[in-house]
Amino acid sequence: MRTQKYNLQRIKVFFYILMIAILGWFCFMQLFGANEQEHDVQSHSIVYTQTFYWEKEDGSKQKINIPGKYEVKPGHTMIISTTLPKDYNETSFAIRSSLQDVKFYVDNTLRKEYSTKDTRLAGKNSASRYIFCPTTYKDAGKTLRIELTTYTSNYSGVVNEIYCGSEIDIWQHIYSDYKMSTFIAFFILFAGITSVLFGSALKFTYHTNFSTEYLGWCMIMGAIWMLGESKIRQILVPNASSLASLCFVMIMLSPLPILFYADSIQNGKHRKLYKYIGYIALLNFVVSSILYLTKVKDYIETLPVAQCILICVFIMVFIHLYQYIHSTSKSRSDYFLLFGLFLVLICVAIEGISVYFVSMVSGLFTGIGMIILLLANIVRTIHKIHVVEQTRHQKELEIEKKENKKITLQMMQSLSTTIEAKDEYTRGHSRRVAQYAALIAKNLGWTDQEIENIKSCAYLHDIGKIGIPDQILNKPGQLTDEEFNLIKQHPIIGQDILKDITIIPHLGEVTRSHHEHYDGTGYPDGLKGNEIPIQARIITLADSYDAMNSKRIYRNALSFNQIKEEIEKNAGTQFDPKITQIFLKLMDDGSLFNLEHEIIPVQENTIDKFISDVVSTIKNQEETKNYDYLTGLPVRSVGQKYIAIAMQKTTGCLIFLDMDNLKKINDVYGHKAGDRALQSLGKLLLDIPLDKITCRMGGDEFLLFLPKVSIEETETIMSDLIEQFKGIVENDHEIHFATLSAGMLMTTKNDNFEDACSKADKALYYVKQNGKNNYSFYNQIQHKNTSNNTADLKQIAKSLHTSGSYTGALSLDFREFTRHYEYIHQLMVRNHSCCYLVMVTMETVEDTLPYIEKIEEALTNMGEAIHKNIRKVDVCTRYSAMQYLIILSQPTEAEIPNIMTRIFMQYYKLQDSQNFTPTYEYIAMKD
């Protein structure tokens, strides 16, 4: 590819060299080669050289030279005559009329007449043109008389060159004399039209004025002047008279584009002056046209006024441009333009002066000046385009930079909004924090730019939460130490995400430090005092205020006084004292209150709303996957979240449900039977004819929340639910011993979800301790009620004896435990020995509400203690949420307390928390 490109480049170079050589050869041949336009040499010249006489009105004759100008009054006819040679044999006589009527007589016979009196629309004189009179050899020796009449003093008495010969030869001679000026006129006309179009295109493209357009109009007017003054104009257009008049109009109107041109270059510096001069030029045109149309004066007679205006405009513009360029411009192209304008001024002056002295001037000087000015303006226009392109490019870079900054901020803010959209309690949090932080910064006397920067930092301060699992961010209960340590990583994650963002000052460090405390007890770096960036100190307070002033899934918003008290208490520890003082003042004077009411009604911007809608849709789609396929109920995490949200909005009843004997059903009849029981319960829960939120907690446990119900309504619903379930399982022999137990708590909007769950679970535990298949409210629980434990144990023993099964398992599955029980029982009967069934119960300490996780931890430690202290011939299993069963083979009854003491001592070594007190009951295994 590179070789092909190199070869093509060589061809281009050769092409340019070849074209330069060809053009050079052509120019050389035109300058030094033979003139092939010349005709055969004739015996005499085309110009008539015989003597002419002026026949005056007094009858006298005067020999005159031709061409020439003589004293003749306007409106009077000048008669000139000559005698044709004896050998005359030419076919035409010709003379150029200069605004004159012309008559040719041969021997007093009118041979040719020229006058536009009957055809012209306005004016006093016929237009200038060549008049041809036909002659023959028969006219030899005869008298030729020419009569010239004009009504303007400018051309009265003017006699132009007289030609004789064939008409073709005469035109050839005229064309060879004036072709160059005509070519120049057409070139300038074409260049002027091109300049106007090009300038208009540049104006449309760059939305700015270019002087090229107005220079183009100057060139068009100059070209029309040259064509109007051209000696061969009568062969260029059908109506040469109109073209002749038009050239005078161009002179009168030419000051206007010159003024436009100068105004464009100077950017309106003298616009007011130019406006008045333009009005003067227009007034002169109107007056001259009226005089012309009324045949009072021809344009040429009023031309001096137009020329004076034109010369004055040229001089004034030249002076203004010189001053402007000298004071403001350092570009060589502007000085080149000034030089070109000076040359045009000289050429126009020559043209204007010569028209009164030389009748054959045809605008050649003006054309040369216009070409020079065109070249100068082309150079300047190229330079201006370059400058405009540079400026445009610079503006585009600035705009692109601003757009990139805006897009970057929007993307990051949208990312922050995406994180917040996962939880309706934090939605809009960053936006509010940004507004609070901006208000604090404003009261600190910060600049607008600094305020915008801190707002941007506040928008993104929690962006690191994108790296924290949703189940931890939205957990309704208390976080474990491990979970809280993970939460504390979000400032570091945020800084790492934003480390390459340089458009916002201090963004990374503020994101990292917004959880630092003024006394150094914060995280992640333990900074204190002024070590913490002031932006982070401001955002810390704004962040904390919004957190306290907003609802959370685990609590309601705090009151104004509570927030104020909390901020005052933490001034100097968590918060900067100076910033705290300002913030408290804003709270007291109502500024913060007013700002909150300004923020709340504001609609989300399009991007944020779009993202919120998308996230909500995604969440809904994800949550459809978070349903238990067996029961059709939400899984634990989703259900707990919905119930926690509902509890903050309304009162109701929280119910902890447990299906009794599910393990027994699974072990005896298989999991299909157990699944059938679970499906039946799930359908019953969904069919409750009231508003409800329910979920499957896992295994045989369910959670149900009934909004806005009374105690009586709750009891009715639970009684019906237990009876309906009983009616279903009685007709299915595989699940007929499944029952329901429920613990219930009447809740208010101020209740904490986690505490409410613990209390409902405690009520469930009470039900299980007292026979199952029932329900109880938390406030009905009587602590340390163990009177029914023995009854429970007897019932369990009876159940094990009759069915060979029990609920729960630890080291053995259900079937294995059943075999062991039956085997031991048979041995006991055969050998007349005695075995004991012991039930260990974990009772909670009075007035404590341990978390579910703590309960599970205590049960696990108790199971480990039992395993380490019973013999290999003994069997143990977990019976319920708070109980274990142990079969002790052939001990003496007196040994049982010692065995249990060892177990409990081992438990206390493993369990740090003292929220539970283990107790035990035992009975002998008998028929």
Side-chain angles (χ1 to χ4, degrees):
M1 180 64 72
R2 292 184 62 186
T3 303
Q4 293 177 355
K5 183 177 180 181
Y6 175 73
N7 291 335
L8 183 61
Q9 188 65 29
R10 293 179 62 183
I11 295 174
K12 290 179 180 179
V13 172
F14 177 75
F15 170 76
Y16 282 113
I17 295 174
L18 182 61
M19 290 305 299
I20 292 172
I22 292 173
L23 291 175
W25 168 80
F26 176 78
C27 293
F28 177 82
M29 292 301 296
Q30 300 309 310
L31 293 173
F32 303 105
N35 186 354
E36 298 175 355
Q37 290 182 334
E38 292 184 356
H39 291 267
D40 295 336
V41 178
Q42 299 181 4
S43 59
H44 60 274
S45 172
I46 293 296
V47 177
Y48 185 75
T49 59
Q50 298 298 317
T51 303
F52 269 91
Y53 294 90
W54 174 17
E55 298 179 4
K56 297 182 179 181
E57 293 179 354
D58 60 2
S60 63
K61 289 186 178 182
Q62 178 184 342
K63 184 179 178 180
I64 61 173
N65 295 321
I66 295 178
K69 183 173 181 354
Y70 303 94
E71 292 293 334
V72 179
K73 295 180 180 180
H76 288 248
T77 301
M78 182 179 182
I79 302 173
I80 60 174
S81 63
T82 186
T83 302
L84 297 177
K86 296 293 184 179
D87 58 349
Y88 181 81
N89 62 355
E90 304 298 342
T91 60
S92 294
F93 235 86
I95 188 172
R96 176 172 173 78
S97 159
S98 293
L99 300 181
Q100 298 161 327
D101 293 338
V102 180
K103 293 180 179 180
F104 282 90
Y105 291 89
V106 178
D107 275 351
N108 296 322
T109 302
L110 180 65
R111 182 73 61 89
K112 180 69 175 179
E113 181 180 8
Y114 166 68
S115 176
T116 62
K117 179 179 180 181
D118 298 327
T119 58
R120 63 177 178 262
L121 300 176
K124 299 185 298 180
N125 298 298
S126 299
S128 300
R129 63 172 293 162
Y130 284 98
I131 312 300
F132 289 86
C133 175
T135 60
T136 65
Y137 68 93
K138 296 179 181 180
D139 297 325
K142 295 180 180 181
T143 300
L144 174 69
R145 187 172 79 249
I146 304 174
E147 297 181 358
L148 304 172
T149 306
T150 183
Y151 300 95
T152 177
S153 60
N154 299 74
Y155 292 107
S156 180
V158 171
V159 181
N160 293 318
E161 194 77 73
I162 297 176
Y163 305 96
C164 67
S166 69
E167 187 171 343
I168 294 176
D169 291 338
I170 295 173
W171 274 121
Q172 178 72 22
H173 177 79
I174 297 171
Y175 174 75
S176 64
D177 287 342
Y178 301 108
K179 62 182 178 182
M180 184 58 68
S181 61
T182 305
F183 287 158
I184 292 176
F186 275 112
F187 172 78
I188 293 176
L189 179 64
F190 174 77
I193 294 173
T194 303
S195 297
V196 171
L197 296 176
F198 183 59
S200 300
L202 290 176
K203 182 178 180 179
F204 178 78
T205 303
Y206 294 103
H207 304 288
T208 186
N209 289 325
F210 279 82
S211 56
T212 307
E213 177 183 356
Y214 307 119
L215 177 64
W217 283 113
C218 294
M219 296 176 66
I220 290 174
M221 289 181 163
I224 293 175
W225 162 260
M226 293 179 66
L227 291 174
E229 285 295 305
S230 173
K231 303 305 182 288
I232 58 174
R233 67 185 177 204
Q234 67 194 76
I235 64 174
L236 299 179
V237 292
N239 192 323
S241 298
S242 61
L243 182 58
S245 299
L246 191 60
C247 73
F248 294 108
V249 172
M250 294 298 102
I251 293 295
M252 289 184 283
L253 293 179
S254 59
L256 297 179
I258 295 173
L259 292 172
F260 299 155
Y261 177 69
D263 181 71
S264 175
I265 292 177
Q266 300 174 87
N267 299 315
K269 185 177 181 180
H270 301 285
R271 185 165 295 167
K272 188 174 182 180
L273 175 61
Y274 292 168
K275 178 179 70 173
Y276 292 130
I277 296 176
Y279 286 149
I280 293 174
L282 286 173
L283 179 62
N284 175 63
F285 167 70
V286 172
V287 172
S288 298
S289 297
I290 292 174
L291 295 176
Y292 175 72
L293 293 173
T294 57
K295 300 184 180 180
V296 175
K297 283 186 179 293
D298 273 349
Y299 277 136
I300 193 167
E301 295 176 282
T302 59
L303 186 61
V305 177
Q307 289 176 327
C308 288
I309 295 174
L310 181 59
I311 293 298
C312 290
V313 167
F314 259 112
I315 295 173
M316 179 187 66
V317 166
F318 178 79
I319 294 173
H320 285 170
L321 289 181
Y322 175 79
Q323 293 173 342
Y324 176 78
I325 293 173
H326 184 70
S327 62
T328 62
S329 179
K330 298 184 183 299
S331 172
R332 293 181 178 178
S333 61
D334 286 337
Y335 286 104
F336 186 39
L337 175 67
L338 192 64
F339 174 72
L341 190 63
F342 175 74
L343 291 181
V344 171
L345 178 61
I346 299 300
C347 293
V348 170
I350 295 173
E351 188 81 35
I353 295 172
S354 63
V355 73
Y356 296 102
F357 300 99
V358 182
S359 62
M360 301 300 287
V361 174
S362 58
L364 182 61
F365 289 102
T366 301
I368 295 172
M370 295 299 293
I371 292 175
I372 294 173
L373 188 60
L374 173 63
L375 295 176
N377 197 76
I378 289 174
V379 174
R380 186 180 186 277
T381 301
I382 293 173
H383 175 73
K384 184 173 181 179
I385 292 174
H386 177 69
V387 172
V388 170
E389 281 293 327
Q390 279 188 324
T391 304
R392 184 177 66 85
H393 183 64
Q394 189 65 32
K395 288 182 179 179
E396 288 178 351
L397 289 178
E398 290 295 327
I399 293 172
E400 184 178 0
K401 184 178 179 181
K402 290 180 181 179
E403 286 297 320
N404 287 340
K405 180 177 180 180
K406 182 179 178 181
I407 292 171
T408 302
L409 288 175
Q410 285 182 342
M411 289 179 64
M412 291 187 294
Q413 290 172 12
S414 299
L415 184 58
S416 177
T417 302
T418 304
I419 299 169
E420 293 177 359
K422 296 180 180 180
D423 185 0
E424 68 175 80
Y425 290 96
T426 59
R427 190 168 299 168
H429 167 70
S430 294
R431 186 179 298 278
R432 295 190 296 271
V433 171
Q435 297 294 336
Y436 300 147
L439 184 61
I440 296 171
K442 183 177 180 181
N443 280 268
L444 284 171
W446 288 18
T447 65
D448 291 343
Q449 186 59 52
E450 289 173 331
I451 293 173
E452 283 301 315
N453 288 339
I454 196 172
K455 284 180 69 175
S456 298
C457 292
Y459 274 124
L460 305 172
H461 74 283
D462 272 339
I463 198 170
K465 286 185 177 179
I466 196 172
I468 308 300
D470 292 350
Q471 58 268 30
I472 296 178
L473 288 176
N474 300 324
K475 184 177 180 181
Q478 183 178 359
L479 297 175
T480 65
D481 291 341
E482 292 77 10
E483 290 170 338
F484 184 63
N485 287 333
L486 188 56
I487 285 283
K488 287 163 67 174
Q489 295 299 309
H490 84 269
I492 300 173
I493 297 172
Q495 184 196 32
D496 188 59
I497 292 173
L498 303 172
K499 63 184 179 183
D500 295 326
I501 306 300
T502 58
I503 57 177
I504 305 173
H506 313 293
L507 178 60
E509 58 190 86
V510 171
T511 303
R512 183 182 181 92
S513 303
H514 75 276
H515 278 292
E516 299 287 358
H517 290 179
Y518 194 74
D519 61 358
T521 59
Y523 63 86
D525 302 313
L527 303 179
K528 63 180 180 179
N530 292 334
E531 295 176 351
I532 308 169
I534 188 170
Q535 296 90 344
R537 282 178 268 156
I538 292 173
I539 292 175
T540 297
L541 181 51
D543 186 26
S544 299
Y545 172 79
D546 188 69
M548 291 185 284
N549 196 40
S550 304
K551 271 188 176 184
R552 290 292 186 264
I553 195 170
Y554 48 84
R555 62 154 176 80
N556 288 317
L558 302 184
S559 67
F560 177 87
N561 291 331
Q562 287 176 315
I563 295 174
K564 186 175 180 182
E565 181 182 348
E566 190 71 20
I567 292 175
E568 290 174 340
K569 183 175 68 175
N570 288 281
T573 55
Q574 182 178 356
F575 309 128
D576 184 319
K578 179 181 177 182
I579 297 174
T580 303
Q581 185 179 2
I582 292 175
F583 193 79
L584 291 173
K585 180 181 177 182
L586 295 173
M587 292 182 67
D588 291 335
D589 65 16
S591 298
L592 209 60
F593 178 82
N594 295 334
L595 181 62
E596 290 171 9
H597 285 73
E598 288 176 7
I599 298 173
I600 293 172
V602 174
Q603 293 292 329
E604 291 181 298
N605 63 47
T606 305
I607 296 179
D608 289 352
K609 187 176 185 303
F610 170 74
I611 290 176
S612 296
D613 293 343
V614 170
V615 171
S616 297
T617 302
I618 294 174
K619 285 173 62 181
N620 292 336
Q621 291 177 347
E622 289 178 348
E623 287 172 0
T624 58
K625 302 176 184 178
N626 291 333
Y627 279 77
D628 178 53
Y629 74 95
L630 189 61
T631 62
L633 302 177
V635 297
R636 176 175 180 169
S637 59
V638 176
Q640 283 183 327
K641 180 179 177 181
Y642 287 159
I643 292 173
I645 294 172
M647 284 177 58
Q648 288 192 337
K649 295 179 178 179
T650 182
T651 59
C653 182
L654 183 65
I655 304 172
F656 217 126
L657 281 166
D658 186 271
M659 181 186 292
D660 304 319
N661 304 322
L662 177 63
K663 185 68 170 65
K664 172 181 176 180
I665 295 172
N666 286 334
D667 288 344
V668 174
Y669 296 107
H671 287 282
K672 287 186 178 180
D675 291 348
R676 197 160 59 250
L678 291 171
Q679 287 173 339
S680 299
L681 179 56
K683 187 175 185 305
L684 288 176
L685 293 175
L686 290 173
D687 291 341
I688 293 176
L690 291 175
D691 290 339
K692 73 276 182 182
I693 303 174
T694 183
C695 68
R696 183 181 179 187
M697 297 289 284
D700 54 6
E701 295 180 336
F702 296 81
L703 194 63
L704 172 66
F705 180 71
L706 302 175
K708 300 178 182 179
V709 294
S710 63
I711 294 178
E712 293 75 14
E713 289 174 323
T714 304
E715 288 182 331
T716 300
I717 292 170
M718 283 310 305
S719 297
D720 292 344
L721 184 65
I722 291 174
E723 288 301 317
Q724 290 174 7
F725 186 72
K726 181 179 179 181
I728 292 173
V729 299
E730 281 181 349
N731 298 322
D732 191 332
H733 72 281
E734 292 184 350
I735 60 174
H736 70 279
F737 35 80
T739 59
L740 294 181
S741 298
M744 301 183 292
L745 174 70
M746 301 303 296
T747 65
T748 67
K749 289 191 287 186
N750 294 322
D751 284 338
N752 179 280
F753 169 76
E754 190 170 346
D755 291 341
C757 280
S758 180
K759 291 177 181 179
D761 188 47
K762 187 177 284 291
L764 174 63
Y765 167 62
Y766 176 82
V767 173
K768 283 186 169 293
Q769 281 185 319
N770 291 274
K772 307 179 182 179
N773 197 28
N774 206 342
Y775 61 86
S776 177
F777 288 95
Y778 173 74
N779 56 1
Q780 296 174 345
I781 297 176
Q782 297 180 2
H783 293 283
K784 297 184 179 180
N785 183 4
T786 61
S787 60
N788 292 325
N789 285 348
T790 302
D792 284 349
L793 185 59
K794 291 179 179 179
Q795 184 178 353
I796 293 168
K798 181 179 179 182
S799 175
L800 290 173
H801 177 67
T802 56
S803 63
S805 63
Y806 53 87
T807 60
L810 184 63
S811 57
L812 297 177
D813 61 25
F814 184 80
R815 296 181 185 275
E816 287 297 322
F817 186 86
T818 302
R819 293 195 202 96
H820 278 73
Y821 181 86
E822 290 298 315
Y823 176 74
I824 292 172
H825 183 265
Q826 293 296 329
L827 286 178
M828 182 189 68
V829 173
R830 179 176 299 178
N831 298 326
H832 303 286
S833 58
C834 183
C835 295
Y836 291 89
L837 182 63
V838 182
M839 182 171 69
V840 178
T841 302
M842 303 295 291
E843 295 185 348
T844 56
V845 177
E846 188 174 2
D847 296 328
T848 61
L849 293 172
Y851 296 111
I852 296 174
E853 291 85 357
K854 295 296 183 183
I855 296 174
E856 192 64 30
E857 179 185 353
L859 266 292
T860 301
N861 291 334
M862 177 55 74
E864 185 177 348
I866 292 172
H867 268 284
K868 289 182 178 180
N869 289 280
I870 61 176
R871 297 167 299 173
K872 292 183 178 180
V873 296
D874 299 329
V875 181
C876 173
T877 189
R878 182 171 172 175
Y879 169 64
S880 71
M882 299 293 286
Q883 295 171 316
Y884 283 91
L885 292 178
I886 307 172
I887 300 176
L888 299 177
S889 298
Q890 297 182 351
T892 62
E893 187 172 356
E895 291 177 332
I896 294 177
N898 295 331
I899 296 171
M900 299 311 299
T901 299
R902 291 197 307 270
I903 292 173
F904 290 170
M905 289 178 64
Q906 181 68 33
Y907 163 77
Y908 283 123
K909 290 180 181 180
L910 297 173
Q911 180 68 24
D912 295 333
S913 174
Q914 303 301 318
N915 292 332
F916 305 93
T917 301
T919 62
Y920 71 94
E921 294 288 332
Y922 66 92
I923 59 174
M925 295 172 56
K926 299 178 181 178
D927 293 335

